[in-house]
Amino acid sequence: MERKRIIVITPEERKYLQKMIGCSGVTVWEAVKYRKSNDIHKRIRKAAIERGGQQMVLTPEFEAIYITNREDADKGMHRYMVQSFENGATLEGCFDTGLVVIRDKRGEVRGEWQSPRLTEIAAIQEVAMSL
């Protein structure tokens, strides 16, 4: 699945944009889903964003990375970068300690790296995807 851009709007907002622009619901849908890109679709997207529509990028789960605080086993609050993969594996990197850990779908540690270089992260991700 490749990344896809969308603008999230309510059904009421969709109806408003239809009336405002003078187009069909399909045209509004094509615009907010970035399916077409002529002048009317660009006008619809601009209006949707100006009226509070949220621009989003849909991406495969394994490409999403989030940062979280959690109480770890040592009872300290640490900030973590967590990346989940389609096979259930996770890559966790602790900002405080520099430790990067890969866990399999059962939560068992399958690899640890202390303060890896940025150039090594891709190889670590490959290990996680291969579990």
Side-chain angles (χ1 to χ4, degrees):
M1 174 178 160
E2 78 254 9
R3 296 177 186 192
K4 296 180 182 178
R5 295 170 51 188
I6 64 168
I7 300 170
V8 179
I9 58 173
T10 64
E12 294 79 21
E13 189 63 25
R14 180 184 47 80
K15 289 176 185 173
Y16 177 85
L17 291 169
Q18 281 178 248
K19 287 181 183 177
M20 184 180 99
I21 303 291
C23 64
S24 70
V26 172
T27 303
V28 173
W29 180 84
E30 290 171 338
V32 298
K33 300 293 185 186
Y34 288 85
R35 302 280 190 214
K36 294 191 177 176
S37 193
N38 61 30
D39 287 339
I40 194 167
H41 295 98
K42 290 176 185 177
R43 284 183 27 222
I44 293 168
R45 284 193 287 269
K46 183 176 188 282
I49 292 166
E50 287 174 354
R51 293 183 49 83
Q54 295 294 313
Q55 297 181 80
M56 301 183 86
V57 175
L58 301 179
T59 182
E61 182 180 12
F62 69 91
E63 290 184 16
I65 297 174
Y66 63 95
I67 297 173
T68 184
N69 290 334
R70 72 175 193 216
E71 192 170 346
D72 201 24
D74 62 5
K75 304 298 181 199
M77 206 55 153
H78 294 289
R79 289 186 45 194
Y80 284 87
M81 181 261 339
V82 180
Q83 183 177 18
S84 300
F85 295 88
E86 292 174 329
N87 62 3
T90 58
L91 184 151
E92 302 173 2
C94 181
F95 290 116
D96 299 326
T97 65
L99 182 65
V100 173
V101 176
I102 292 178
R103 297 181 189 279
D104 63 18
K105 63 184 175 187
R106 293 178 300 281
E108 297 173 8
V109 174
R110 299 294 297 268
E112 292 185 1
W113 293 262
Q114 185 62 48
S115 302
R117 298 182 190 275
L118 191 56
T119 55
E120 296 173 289
I121 297 296
I124 295 170
Q125 289 170 321
E126 289 289 331
V127 171
M129 285 188 278
S130 70
L131 295 177

